[in-house]
Amino acid sequence: MNSRTTTEQQTLSEYNRARTLQYLHHHGIASRAQIAKALHLTPAALSKISNHLLASGAIVETGALEGKGNRRSIGLAVNARAFQVLGVKFARSLIEIGLFDLAGKPSFIRELPTVENTTIPQAIESLHAEIRRLLAEHPHILAIGMAVPGPYLRDRGHTAVVSSMGQWRQVNFRAEFEHAFDVPVIIEQDARAGALAQYLFDPNPANENLAYYLLGEGIGLGVIDHGTVINGSLGAATEIGHVSIDVNGKACDCGNVGCLERYCSAVAIHEAMLGNGMLATDSRLTHREACAELFARAQSGDGQARELVERIGTFVGYGCVTICNAFNPSRIVIGDIVAQAGEPLLQRVREVVGERVIPEITQSTQIELSALPTDAAVTGAAAVAITYILDHPSQFFASGT
């Protein structure tokens, strides 16, 4: 057998192992017969694949399953609890880190100290130390996923624009982290990471055509089209935060004017609250805390707060109009800090879409708040790592046979 044939067989074997792991991750417990049928593999081929994955510890047998004609078969499942990943989210003034199993269940999620433009180098140094500590404490961590603000230029390793905290542009995430530890580090734009979290951890069948609309300290968008993430040539596609909604509007650090994130990001909301006297000028609240204060006041009936939430919902709705017309997803999931405004925000967004999008598209587009139990961007960072593991099983699971 020549080397080319051997390489092709190894590539095919890895591909089918990955497909098997992905199927089990998406569908939970399944029998060998179910997997073979779904993936169009012969029973013999699936048996060989499953034996390899069982020997490596990637999957486990779960006991008997009921089949047709009262036949019983052995169930298989991803060995999710045996292995872990770290998820790290960067969001201007905020860095979060979490420890997750392969099913996306967090052991913890914690915030690092608030970052300022002048303290970014120290924050990066502290993050290195925290990751090294966690890797030493948790020997079953397989990989690290990182979610960074967009537009993230993947091949170059840095973010092109970070409004209000330009020093982040000097950080090359690839140079800083990709080879800094003994486990792989995979870096993705934050909204695409959020879309991956929805895709992996929410079993909704409409996930094949999904838009995750991130409303945090910046505004981002991740789009999955027929099961494939849209990236663009530089990795900077779907940058809705820098789509102009007012050609004569506020100037943005990106060089454009009237960018969406200048009107409905957590930073913009904080600025609005300071500007209209809702917060004292010497307030020390973070952007997240200022938004939480606004939403609490609105919920308690404060008229000024309710008016501001409705105005924010209008701007968020303009973004949804663009998403509907540009990408036509079946679901738009709204998440992150500003999504905590809840139903009043969602109601206004739906009203704007109903007014401005053609009825056929409006009726076929489900717009909702994220149902994930934790922030989808840090959970998405974990999803980035888990996706990489599922796609490259032999890099992580060596057969014991």
Side-chain angles (χ1 to χ4, degrees), residues 283-299:
S283 168
R284 302 297 296 174
L285 294 179
T286 65
H287 301 313
R288 181 194 290 271
E289 290 167 345
C291 289
E293 174 71 15
L294 172 67
F295 304 150
R297 291 187 194 180
Q299 188 173 18

Side-chain angles (χ1 to χ4, degrees), residues 60-125:
V60 292
E61 293 184 332
T62 62
L65 296 175
E66 291 288 346
K68 292 182 178 179
N70 293 323
R71 294 179 180 175
R72 300 178 71 83
S73 56
I74 301 298
L76 300 175
V78 174
N79 195 6
R81 294 184 180 180
F83 304 101
Q84 297 165 313
V85 299
L86 287 177
V88 180
K89 171 193 174 181
F90 297 86
R92 292 170 172 78
S93 68
L94 173 70
I95 299 177
E96 289 181 307
I97 188 166
L99 180 68
F100 299 79
D101 67 18
L102 296 190
K105 181 179 179 180
S107 297
F108 65 80
I109 296 174
R110 65 173 67 112
E111 292 185 16
L112 274 63
T114 300
V115 183
E116 298 179 2
N117 209 38
T118 56
T119 64
I120 289 173
Q122 294 90 334
I124 294 293
E125 184 177 343

Side-chain angles (χ1 to χ4, degrees), residues 110-231:
R110 65 173 67 112
E111 292 185 16
L112 274 63
T114 300
V115 183
E116 298 179 2
N117 209 38
T118 56
T119 64
I120 289 173
Q122 294 90 334
I124 294 293
E125 184 177 343
S126 296
L127 179 60
H128 273 277
E130 178 69 2
I131 290 174
R132 286 194 295 269
R133 184 185 69 80
L134 290 170
L135 289 173
E137 288 183 2
H138 302 277
H140 297 297
I141 293 173
L142 298 182
I144 301 166
M146 293 187 171
V148 303
Y152 176 63
L153 308 180
R154 181 173 295 158
D155 292 341
R156 302 178 190 179
H158 70 89
T159 295
V161 179
V162 184
S163 303
S164 76
M165 288 188 70
Q167 192 62 31
W168 276 116
R169 295 178 63 183
Q170 307 306 314
V171 177
N172 188 304
F173 291 96
R174 291 185 63 182
E176 279 286 347
F177 295 110
E178 268 196 352
H179 304 293
F181 311 106
D182 292 333
V183 300
V185 178
I186 306 93
I187 304 166
E188 182 57 276
Q189 180 248 32
D190 51 7
R192 273 197 285 278
L196 283 173
Q198 298 289 335
Y199 184 72
L200 278 183
F201 307 136
D202 181 346
N204 192 308
N207 278 348
E208 290 293 309
N209 293 282
L210 165 77
Y212 177 72
Y213 189 9
L214 183 151
L215 306 176
E217 292 191 349
I219 302 296
L221 178 67
V223 176
I224 295 175
D225 182 58
H226 291 86
T228 300
V229 177
I230 296 176
N231 292 303

